[in-house]
Amino acid sequence: VNLVLMGFHRPVIGHAILGGTVHRVFTTAPADVAIFVDRSSRSTGSEQPTAVKKILVPYLGGTHDRLALELADRMARHTDARVTVLHVVAPKRRDETATLGAKTQVEKSFAEPGKQAPVQFKVVEHYSPVTAVLDEAQDADLIVIGVSEEWGLESQLLGWRPQRIADESPSSLLIVRKYGQAPQPSPAVQTVAPTPAQVAPVHNA
């Protein structure tokens, strides 16, 4: 299996969205993982799913973000959806080289042979990447986002702080994790018993 796709079905979205079963799959599945959170009924009041016309991909350049680009590209190639890639930079601290590198990566992701997916690369200056995403989410039908520490998602996976995007977004979300990039225990808390060859002999004085 290359991709595990799960639906999140709790009627009330809480801070445990990346806990429980989702946490176990995120951290142990030997494949890319995507969690779909359907918010279409919240915005329309209907139980019927709405067509996805606008896809928002927050992008900071991490491995999980690149998987988000790949999946958004796949969806756009087979639908009429348009993709906006949102690159957030700190106010008055824009690194043109880094921004150009991000734009180049985005263009590369959407330049594979076949149907050319319509994509817009948008740079926004903001002190809070999370707030910038929530502002842009007002006009999106679906957010495809990687579990990056910068977005405050991976940290919630480990229980460090709330995940505002998952809790407050009015749009549906596809939260993705690239295989091989799941959080690992800190080396500081890993203990490995030494082998006999590693134990230095003790000489009595």
Side-chain angles (χ1 to χ4, degrees):
V1 173
N2 300 109
L3 175 67
V4 176
L5 176 61
M6 299 176 61
F8 187 81
H9 297 292
R10 286 186 57 191
V12 178
I13 302 301
H15 293 295
I17 187 172
L18 294 181
T21 300
V22 171
H23 177 272
R24 291 195 297 274
V25 175
F26 257 134
T27 55
T28 62
D32 296 342
V33 179
I35 309 298
F36 177 62
V37 183
D38 186 6
R39 296 279 173 78
S40 58
S41 60
R42 173 186 292 189
S43 58
T44 64
S46 172
E47 295 298 326
Q48 297 297 322
T50 57
V52 175
K53 297 295 185 181
K54 298 179 181 178
I55 300 174
L56 177 67
V57 184
Y59 183 78
L60 292 178
T63 303
H64 304 296
D65 292 345
R66 290 193 288 273
L67 175 60
L69 291 178
E70 177 185 335
L71 295 179
D73 179 44
R74 290 187 192 180
M75 288 184 281
R77 287 174 184 269
H78 295 88
T79 66
D80 294 326
R82 297 188 61 85
V83 178
T84 297
V85 177
L86 182 68
H87 184 58
V88 184
V89 298
K92 300 180 182 179
R93 295 183 181 179
R94 179 181 300 193
D95 184 336
E96 294 297 341
T97 301
T99 300
L100 180 60
K103 183 178 181 180
T104 300
Q105 179 63 48
V106 170
E107 292 174 346
K108 180 180 178 181
S109 298
F110 285 81
E112 295 182 3
K115 179 182 177 182
Q116 182 67 38
V119 58
Q120 174 190 11
F121 182 76
K122 184 175 183 178
V123 180
V124 172
E125 294 186 359
H126 206 291
Y127 287 107
S128 169
V130 173
T131 301
V133 172
L134 290 173
D135 290 343
E136 293 292 328
Q138 303 300 319
D139 296 324
D141 300 311
L142 176 68
I143 301 175
V144 185
I145 186 169
V147 284
S148 299
E149 173 63 24
E150 293 88 344
W151 296 123
L153 289 170
E154 190 171 278
S155 56
Q156 173 62 18
L157 182 68
L158 299 177
W160 290 343
R161 62 177 179 172
Q163 47 172 18
R164 285 184 56 206
I165 294 176
D167 287 344
E168 299 179 22
S169 169
S171 309
S172 297
L173 299 102
L174 192 65
I175 305 171
V176 306
R177 184 223 72 183
K178 181 67 177 176
Y179 174 49
Q181 301 296 322
Q184 299 296 325
S186 170
V189 299
Q190 293 178 342
T191 56
V192 179
T195 63
Q198 294 173 316
V199 179
V202 177
H203 300 282
N204 294 325

